Amino acid sequence: MASKFLSGNEAFAEGIRLARPQVVAAYPITPQTTVVERLAEMAEDKSLDCEFIHVESEHSALSCAMGASAGGVRTFTATSSQGLLYMAECLYYASGGRFPIVMMNANRSTALPWNIYGDQRDSLSQLDCGWIQVYAGSAQEALDLALMSYRIAEDKNVSLPIMVNLDGFILTHTYEQVDIPTAEQADKFLPEFETDNKFDFDEPKNMAFSAGPEYNYAFKIKHHNAMINSSAVIKKAEGEFYEIFGRKYTGLIEEYKTDDAEYIIITLGSIGGLCFEAADKFREKGIKAGVIRIRYMRPFPREEICAAVKNAKAVGVLEKDISFGNEGTVFTNVNSALQSLDRHIPSYNFIGGLGGKSILPSDIEEIFNKIILGTEGPASTDRINFIGTEVQA
Amino acid sequence: MSVTAKNLSREEFFYGHKACPGCGGSLAVRNALKVLGKNAVAVLPAGCMSAVGFNFPQLCFGNNAIISTFAGTASMLTGIEAALRIRGCDFTAVGFAGDGGTADIGIQALSGAIDRGDNIIYICYDNEAYMNTGIQKSGLTPFGAKTTTTPAGENIRGNIRPKKNMFEIAAAHGIPYAATATVGYMTDFLNKVEKASRIKGTKYIHVIAPCPSGWGIPESDTVEVAREIVDCGLWYLAEFYEGEFKVTHTPKEFTSVENYLKKQGRFKHLTAEDIKIIESSRDKKWEKIRKEWV
């Protein structure tokens, strides 16, 4: 195992190299570009034996990936923001067609106004497209997810595409020391792609067909079931990953000091690390603070979140998203999960980082303070809080 | 060996579908697949042929086939071609897209595929409007045609724009092979399909495929009208190969444009003046063809 100083994108590209996709189709968009640039170099120097296809749009990138997957080979694509939205039609198509494509999305703000910096409005707007969605917290996790995603996506009980999200710039372009597994280790973990969901010259297939009202519903439920099944497959893959690589992942969520936590921030993506540090600061003051970092938004970790908040007096959901006219989408999802508890836990939404605005350690401390205040009832803390900005709703 | 009515395969690859009686598009798909054989992998975008052929559990292709997104015929072909080549399969990747799927929403992906030189055959079956959704104007609807979005009234007499020239647009990419055809001259079409299957790189074939309900003609007249469009000079049978344009069928004398137009419901409203405009644009095109093409 080698160790290198890599950006999130570079680490992800290393993970993809080890996963050996045979077709890579991508269209450039900031801040995704460096991952596909690295892959193009790997295709050139033959450290990755793949066909690198220069498509003319994101729509074609995913359409091409679907064709390649239907042709029976492992495929990869990557995008961000407007690119993700441009291929939106294909997102639904790829999941409905049950093509186990892996796509990296560099989380970036959506226009208008134009902005290339990171927030999570792009991928969170696509929660319903039927893809498994995972959010990396570090470059190491990004690399590991590149490998794990194929194992999960290609599992016969799942057969769904996976979108791996990396916070734009904050994760895609910052450097950290990353362990790179050997090809032998990777091959041991990830077998060659095998699928029945492909063209067959002995028994020709008609794929991606129409289904009227009589049958359509059943296909949708099968799709939903596959997503639910993926939760167990994710845990199983992580178990085997630990055995081979020695790094432990914890399923749909990562918990930080939640066991006895009374005040919990629930968040996702690379901001998790800052939240862990803030929790430690509060713990030094004798306040039982904890953090839940959601790793998978789909399938949604309803049971895991409910178990992790067992001692919570109040929770706050920190996200870089807003569904205009309502609230942050992660907040909506978390509140829905909390409904299944037999007691009411006050919950507050902290929206920050829109259009790449920095979220500072002091902002996170302020969030904990507001959560603590929030145990005194809704009058003390607003339900929706816009942090790090003078502009208020 | 050239394809003839006698040696055309008896094997069927597209049957049991719900195409309307007299459908020109289904005729093009059915016969092209006979030429390409069982190892053809067909991509059909949203449109008439996918709507009539892929209704689970009534799936009508005897070869491998898939519906692509409306805009994604060419890009999906690209992925399929790459994957099956990597896996060492013996196959032909072929797309069948309508006029809207080709000249409007799918032109970007088609241009991308030609630019990359992907080894695919792209066949545009042109029925000159969005027929699947109920006869709306596309970029390949001819001048004067009445559609549900270009009604013929007192102020505007149908579609006011000429057809996009997809054949020459494809050729302008420097494509290895492009051709025009019609289901009215079936052996000419099928020999072009056969020739395309022997050429490496991207191939584009544009085949006129009348739609009786959209054109306002009897179901029995599809083939006759598809011949007449060539005979009267409003369509031409040609190839672009090794950088040269060549006409593959030259009518000695044009038949009447007026007769061709007036037997179709979509042109019934045209005035003598409109018909003159159509004739003069035909003559201009043929003058150029005779001067510049082989």
Side-chain angles (χ1 to χ4, degrees), chain B residues 54-74:
Chain B
F54 284 91
N55 293 290
F56 179 85
Q58 192 179 338
L59 302 168
C60 302
F61 284 88
N63 57 309
N64 285 299
I66 187 168
I67 307 182
S68 72
T69 56
F70 205 174
T73 313

Side-chain angles (χ1 to χ4, degrees), chain B residues 198-212:
Chain B
R198 286 183 281 113
I199 295 168
K200 208 168 149 43
T202 316
K203 287 80 62 176
Y204 176 79
I205 300 174
H206 192 121
V207 58
I208 293 289
C211 165

Side-chain angles (χ1 to χ4, degrees), chain A residues 142-375:
Chain A
L143 184 150
D144 295 346
L145 279 172
L147 267 176
M148 264 187 287
S149 293
Y150 282 106
R151 259 294 293 273
I152 298 157
E154 293 169 4
D155 189 287
K156 291 218 173 351
N157 291 315
V158 179
S159 200
L160 286 173
I162 300 191
M163 187 191 302
V164 184
N165 293 282
L166 275 66
D167 280 308
F169 291 108
I170 292 171
L171 183 50
T172 59
H173 284 63
T174 52
Y175 283 71
E176 61 180 87
Q177 203 65 30
V178 175
D179 283 333
I180 303 171
T182 62
E184 291 70 33
Q185 283 176 307
D187 290 347
K188 197 175 158 200
F189 175 72
L190 183 65
E192 275 189 35
F193 180 40
E194 285 289 339
T195 180
D196 297 330
N197 190 26
K198 65 171 187 283
F199 298 124
D200 182 335
F201 291 95
D202 296 323
E203 292 286 335
K205 282 192 188 140
N206 287 198
M207 298 177 71
F209 43 72
S210 305
E214 194 182 344
Y215 298 101
N216 206 295
Y217 200 174
F219 282 108
K220 295 294 194 293
I221 291 171
K222 279 172 172 286
H223 188 159
H224 177 63
N225 288 344
M227 185 71 90
I228 299 298
N229 291 342
S230 70
S231 174
V233 173
I234 288 164
K235 280 162 201 154
K236 185 164 174 271
E238 287 175 349
E240 287 174 34
F241 190 89
Y242 175 69
E243 302 235 316
I244 296 171
F245 305 97
R247 281 189 294 280
K248 201 163 209 154
Y249 291 98
T250 53
L252 305 188
I253 62 172
E254 178 183 8
E255 295 178 59
Y256 189 76
K257 300 187 177 170
T258 51
D259 268 354
D260 61 344
E262 295 176 346
Y263 311 103
I264 295 177
I265 289 181
I266 302 173
T267 191
L268 70 171
S270 57
I271 196 77
L274 274 187
C275 296
F276 300 164
E277 285 176 23
D280 283 342
K281 266 195 168 174
F282 278 78
R283 291 241 163 208
E284 281 166 22
K285 292 188 273 185
I287 296 165
K288 289 175 179 171
V291 180
I292 297 169
R293 182 173 69 87
I294 294 175
R295 297 180 68 234
Y296 286 83
M297 273 301 288
R298 287 293 180 275
F300 190 70
R302 185 177 59 82
E303 288 172 17
E304 288 81 355
I305 288 173
C306 286
V309 299
K310 58 186 179 299
N311 290 313
K313 290 180 177 167
V315 301
V317 174
L318 168 61
E319 60 187 301
K320 301 174 182 178
D321 176 57
I322 181 168
S323 176
F324 299 123
N326 191 24
E327 58 199 12
T329 293
V330 182
F331 186 55
T332 308
N333 277 262
V334 167
N335 279 336
S336 164
L338 296 180
Q339 282 290 314
S340 53
L341 290 171
D342 54 11
R343 70 187 179 98
H344 173 69
I345 303 176
S347 62
Y348 302 95
N349 197 189
F350 299 91
I351 292 170
L354 297 182
K357 181 105 176 166
S358 296
I359 298 175
L360 305 174
S362 57
D363 293 326
I364 294 168
E365 286 168 34
E366 183 60 21
I367 291 169
F368 268 125
N369 283 329
K370 286 191 168 174
I371 296 170
I372 293 163
L373 261 180
T375 55

